[in-house]
Amino acid sequence: MTTTAPQHESPPAPQRLWSDILTTPVGDLLRGRIGARCRPRPRDLIATCGLPAELASLVWEVVRRTRLWSTEKVAVSRELIAHFEDGLAVGTSAAELGVSFGDPAQAAALIRRAKRRNRPLIWKAAKLAENAVAAVLSLALLLYTIQVVRLYSHAPNITRNYVSEWNQDALTVPPAERAWPVYLAAMQATNGYWEHNWHGDELSPGSSSWPDITEFINSNGRALELYRQAAAMPKIGLVLGREPDVDYMVNNAGQPIKNAGAAPDPNPEFISVLLPPLTTFRSVSGMLKVDVYLAAQAGDAQRTQHNLDAVFGIVAHAREVRLMLADLVALTIAGDACRTIGALLRANPQLFDDHQLAQIAHRLAGLGGPEGLRTRFASERATVEDFLQRYFTDDGHGDGLGRPELLARLAVFTSGDPAPTRWTPTIGLNTVLMPAISPFMAGKREMLAKCLDFFGRYEAEAATPLWQRSPTTVDDEFIQFRTSLRNEVRYAPLMILMPSLGRAGLMYEYFAQQRDATTAALALALYHRQHGSWPQSLNELVPQLLPQVPPDRYDGQPLKYCLVDGHPLLYSIGVNRKDDGGRLPSPPPDGTKTPLAELNRQARRWQPAPTAQRGAGAAMEKPLPDGDWLLWPPVE
Amino acid sequence: MRIERELMRGAGPVAVLKLLERHEMYGYELIDALSKRSEGVLALGQSTLYPMLYNMEAKGLIESTERAAPSGRERRYYRLTRTGHAQLAQQTEQWVAISRAMLALGILPGPTTTQEALA
């Protein structure tokens, strides 16, 4: 045993200032160490124990290095002091005791470990929790780092120019054959602000606005003629993304077109392209409809027919744009044209000659070509695909993660404001956030697959006649999909970008019923002229005047027909799927005054069959309208 | 003779338990007793003994009290608990078994077979 004592640091008496600050009474109270100042402090204990300086230093060094609680340090100090005092008492020198004690650092480490094992269970539980949190945080940090690498090592790869692809057909139309410039010229020639003044039901004789409307039409003969010319042209030739802001033009008649001549973006976002014709088509068809009535009142069958032809031309032009919203506008215009024709047949049955009636029937039946006016969802699909290629990275295998720009873009969509607001996340913040969010958000491939799955099912549903549809609508599934919190995060872009398309699919079915009823009404008119009486059944119209009796879209059976007081009535059994004999639904029992046209619309509002069959018996469901959807003559 | 660390890790605690079997002892006393009664073979470093005692206390094998010795000096005395007694009995059995095996293998001097050792 060597007698050389190790050299240890001196006792810590001069270093008390910081410790004194930390152990003020208030400090102790805040740290939950009530009564801490009543207990001896280890260094005081060691300084006053009477051990030789080198042993006192050794004890302090060991105790200090343990980094234990103060009470634990006191216990260890007392034990070591007693140990050395016992050694000295049996005659061992201080130097020998110091050497035989061993390495103070190792002793401190072992003592610390052992003493901590003696701590209370609650401390051990807290420590376990702390370690677990640390482990989770470390794992999260690791995952975040991996995600940062994954996210920022790839960039979006914009391979397709959807706007350009959409414009391919339009660009092949020679400039001289494009109808759109003629529409624009007509719009500029319009004297006044049609779009903001009159809508919907006002555009029929007898409305309170009718005198003002007729005055407007009479003072815009030149513009109407241009519209008829435009509508008669075979192709609209509209180039998306390069057209002027028609809304601006409408609001600033006579002013230069706002963005005409501006350098177009070579690959604009598909979702951002302006849809100028939609406003135009609706307002122009409204003007032509008014002129239909004015011409009919004047007994001018040819002008009336020309106006109807122009409306059909607008429908064809809207379909040429191939956007879902344009398809819906086409359906609205075509449906309105059906009601206008129906009203003319009722009010001016002798206006058109037989040939004109047949022409109108053929034109109406042929709207939209072989596929009819069925709503197409290709533009919505392209919108999502284009969005994904711009705001998701491309790993070269068709997959990728959402980019920081995605959050800012989605924030703009949800706020409805195209300009960033103070609440729009900054790109810097998004750069930090996105790696943390992206593990919870579906990748590009999964996002696209989910989107295409819904589009496919919506398209299949839209292609199915109402009477063959499943009891569960795709909208039901889509709403269920949207209400899941997991999906809200995982498919956040789809939640914002992808609309419920069920109603868009229904629009065609409503129109098809209206169209079929109108062609049947035209056939009835011809039959009446030929026979001087109405047929007892629609079968009598087949095959001379109708190729076949059109179906009722709600049960697949022949469209309902009857004579009421000697006058014909065409109707569908409506959403309650019950033949009520051509009676409108009853008004609300609470006495609320409801227009007849609204009651008629309620009768057609489609629901899946099982729900409908439960009808008024289902306590929690709104009772189904107890009447039929009257198709012709129009309900006024 | 210096004992391998791993061997010491197994032998140290049972040696301490054995020393505390009959009466309580304090730290220096334990070190001294271990060194003398094992002729220095099981002499524990002082920096090793105290952590070992704290560990055994944490396991409930021993318990300690601090009180003044007859000399007036404050000391911490350690004594065996019921668990400690049971642990000692168990470990003693294991050491006996090991010793017999060592004997049988000829590692320990004495009878060369287990039968001889047990005879």
Side-chain angles (χ1 to χ4, degrees), chain A residues 79 83 86 100 117-118, chain B residues 46 50 54-55 73 75 78:
Chain A
E79 181 130 42
H83 169 84
D86 284 333
S100 63
R117 285 188 187 130
N118 276 302
Chain B
Q46 295 158 25
Y50 291 104
Y54 299 152
N55 275 328
R73 190 177 298 130
R75 286 191 188 124
Y78 294 91

